[in-house]
Each structure stands twice: as C-alpha cells, then as structure tokens.
Amino acid sequence: MRSREGKRGVMVVTLKEVAERAGVSRSAVSRTFTDGASVSPKMRRKVEKAARELGYSPNALASSLTTGRTKLIGLVSSNFHNPFFLEIFDLFTRGLQERGLRPLLVNLSGETEPENSVRMLRQYSVDGVVVASSTLPPGFAIAFREAGVPVINAFGRYASDPQVHTVGIDNVACGRTAARTLIARGYRRLAFLGGPEAATSTQDRLSGFQAEIAQAPELGLSVSFAGAYTFDAGRREMQRLLQEPPAEAYFCGDDVLSIGALSALRDNGFSVPGDVGVLGLNDMEMAGWAGIDLTTIHQPIRQIVTSSIELMGAMLDEPDRYPEARVFPCRIVERGTLRPLPEAG
C-alpha cells in the first residue's frame, strides 16, 4: 500500500511505507509511536529516521484504537463570557498539550441537565474531564464520576471530604479576608455585590464576608447580586444601587463585576477611592490595567491549573484514586481602589 491522497490533495504517508523504509515490521513502527510500548533504542532510531525522511506523522485516532486511550480531556465550563476564564483556558490548554493530552473545550452555558453533558462527552470517548467553573452546580462533576469518567472540579467548592477531586480556593476564607481588609481601612458601611445568587462561589464569599462583619455589631452591611459574572451585570447592578446613597466600600464577587461597578460609580460622579472603595477578587490581568488599577484578592490560577493537570495525570493511571481537595491561599493585591491603611501610632 502506497501513499494515499488526503481530502485536501496532500499525500498521506502510511505506516507500511515507514516500515519498508526502515526495514522493520509494521508492528515495530506501531510500537515506536505508542507510549509505553517496548522497543529497543536501535529500532526506535531506525523508525524515527525513516519517519522523518518520509514526513510521516502517526494518526492519533488510529493509535487510540490500539491503546484504548484517546488522550482527549474534556475542558468543561459555562463562563465563556468572563475574560478571566480566557486566562484559565489558555493555561489549561497549553498545560494539557505539554503533557501529550488533547483538550476538548466544551461550552455548557445554559445547560441544566448533567446527564446531557455526560452523554455528549462520552460520545467523544474522552479519557477524563476537567470541570473548570465556579457557577456550574456540583452535580455536573458528580455525574461524570458516577459515569466512571475521571473528573477534576477546578475552581469548585472546597470541602474537607469532597465527593470528587477538587482544586481551588476556600471562598469562605476569601470572604473573611475581604471583610478584614475593608474594616482595617476604616470603612464602616460595607456592601457585598455578588455574582449569581445560586453560584456556590457567591454563596461562600458572602458567607465568609458576613461572618467576619457579624463580629462587629457597629458595622453596617448591605447585600445585592448581579445576574452574571460580567461587566454589564456589575455596571447595571451598581447603577441600580446608586439610586440610594452608596455604601462606603463594596466587596464585589469578582474582578469583572468590580470593573463594571467602577464604571457606574465614575459615570455618576463618584471618586474611587475618595468617595467609595471597591475590592475585587481574582486578580485577572485586566485588573492591573491603567485606568482600572483595581485592589483585589489574588486567586492563584496558575497553581490551580497546574495542580489540576497533575491530578488528572495521576487519575488516568489510577482511576480509583480516593477524592482529595487541594486548596490554595489567597492574598490581597494593593492597587488604587481602596483608601490606604491608617498609619500606625
């Protein structure tokens, strides 16, 4: 069998031609390009030399029939409108590819039935799934686990005894950090402007924020929610809130909401931080841009993504691995949307 013409008129080199050029069997060529297969160094050199000379590239789909693995990892999210998740997808796709895995990006915006998601991903024979979302209900990751698909819930809800592997931050602790940060700067009338009320990230950040403020009865707290983690939703909700005198400082559910809130405040003649303080969460790249300069809580996304990919690799080798939670600390990033700390003494 000789080179065949592909769909675009390009001649496709076959495995048989590589074997003939190298003077080896077709099975030897197949083993050379199969991870973990036994092949001598001398044989590997001969096959790789012949492949280079002919311009041969192994067919990944054909290889999956031999190994039983597609190396496809479903990267599932519902946050495609949030530019913060573009940073996350960039890290995930590059990190998976560096490990020889192939990301399959899946948009579940508007999806409410976990079973539909499982059915779709299984049609592609994925080896594993990363649910990279803080707004999808926990039932989505659990549904993949129950279907026997290795799954990681990245940016999911922290629990000391998780039902699935979870990598992220403790959003309750971040809420407490936000409250302490605002109180330390002398703010007394505080507000929480959260994302979707049903999102676990919103619930947990509010829970920690409220718990810390409750320890000081003299503090005031108002709570409101935006319909989504978007600029427009944050701006719209702040515009609504400004029908009344604003709070002294707002802890917003994430940076994108914060940037929308900043836009509304400035358009209505309020100085930030002179009149009103704003604190975000995530420390996305845009938060540091000139004209935004957002004081925020840093979420270590690079470490979360790297840890998620490492854990996925371990699960592919050990599918029955007991679920674990990997939690990373957050920290304040000082910029220009909060008043400075009072000087000591």
Side-chain angles (χ1 to χ4, degrees):
M1 181 178 179
R2 294 297 170 186
S3 301
R4 58 185 175 83
E5 188 171 303
K7 291 183 179 180
R8 297 182 181 272
V10 177
M11 300 306 292
V12 178
V13 178
T14 66
L15 181 145
K16 180 181 179 182
E17 288 177 292
V18 176
E20 290 175 350
R21 173 67 69 94
V24 300
S25 67
R26 281 180 286 182
S27 64
V29 177
S30 179
R31 290 197 308 276
T32 299
F33 293 107
T34 300
D35 291 341
S38 175
V39 60
S40 69
K42 181 179 179 181
M43 180 78 72
R44 182 178 297 280
R45 286 193 296 272
K46 290 175 65 177
V47 171
E48 289 179 344
K49 180 176 183 292
R52 283 194 303 273
E53 292 171 349
L54 293 172
Y56 172 77
S57 296
N59 186 309
L61 294 178
S63 176
S64 70
L65 297 176
T66 303
T67 63
R69 284 189 174 184
T70 63
K71 297 186 179 181
L72 281 173
I73 303 297
L75 182 56
V76 172
S77 187
S78 61
N79 298 43
F80 283 75
H81 51 266
N82 189 331
F84 175 61
F85 271 82
L86 297 181
E87 296 179 30
I88 291 170
F89 298 151
D90 175 62
L91 291 170
F92 260 123
T93 52
R94 287 192 289 115
L96 288 167
Q97 288 163 187
E98 287 168 2
R99 291 179 69 97
L101 300 171
R102 295 191 290 275
L104 177 66
L105 204 56
V106 179
N107 187 345
L108 293 186
S109 298
E111 181 59 75
T112 58
E113 297 297 330
E115 293 76 15
N116 294 338
S117 307
V118 172
R119 191 179 307 113
M120 177 174 61
L121 269 295
R122 294 191 80 169
Q123 288 175 349
Y124 289 96
S125 300
V126 295
D127 287 343
V129 171
V130 176
V131 178
S133 174
S134 61
T135 55
L136 282 173
F140 278 78
I142 293 170
F144 285 111
R145 185 206 65 187
E146 291 178 346
V149 180
V151 60
I152 307 289
N153 193 0
F155 304 95
R157 189 176 214 169
Y158 168 71
S160 58
D161 187 20
Q163 297 184 62
V164 299
H165 294 279
T166 305
V167 184
I169 59 174
D170 182 345
N171 281 298
V172 175
C174 287
R176 287 185 174 274
T177 296
R180 289 194 294 268
T181 298
L182 299 182
I183 293 168
R185 284 157 175 75
Y187 295 111
R188 292 297 175 260
R189 289 186 294 108
L190 311 178
F192 176 80
L193 197 170
E197 190 171 0
T200 59
S201 54
T202 301
Q203 296 166 6
D204 290 351
R205 290 166 193 176
L206 174 58
S207 174
F209 195 62
Q210 287 177 317
E212 195 70 25
I213 291 171
Q215 298 179 34
E218 72 277 9
L219 301 177
L221 173 63
S222 61
V223 175
S224 64
F225 303 97
Y229 283 118
T230 66
F231 172 90
D232 287 341
R235 177 180 166 83
R236 189 163 49 246
E237 182 59 19
M238 182 57 77
Q239 290 280 23
R240 187 188 70 81
L241 293 171
L242 291 177
Q243 295 174 20
E244 304 289 339
E248 293 178 3
Y250 291 85
F251 169 42
C252 297
D254 82 339
D255 289 347
V256 179
L257 287 176
S258 301
I259 295 168
L262 282 171
S263 173
L265 285 163
R266 288 167 175 165
D267 282 358
N268 282 272
F270 291 95
S271 169
V272 179
D275 299 322
V276 179
V278 175
L279 175 65
L281 193 153
N282 280 334
D283 192 25
M284 62 186 291
E285 181 182 354
M286 193 184 300
W289 288 2
I292 296 175
D293 199 30
L294 178 68
T295 302
T296 188
I297 298 174
H298 175 79
Q299 180 169 196
I301 63 169
R302 188 174 297 276
Q303 292 93 321
I304 291 170
V305 169
T306 299
S307 183
S308 297
I309 293 172
E310 290 174 352
L311 192 50
M312 176 56 71
M315 287 187 68
L316 295 178
D317 294 330
E318 188 184 351
D320 296 329
R321 186 185 180 101
Y322 192 78
E324 64 176 285
R326 297 184 178 182
V327 60
F328 292 84
C330 292
R331 58 180 172 82
I332 292 290
V333 177
E334 299 281 0
R335 293 197 181 101
T337 56
L338 292 180
R339 65 172 67 138
L341 284 165
E343 294 184 7

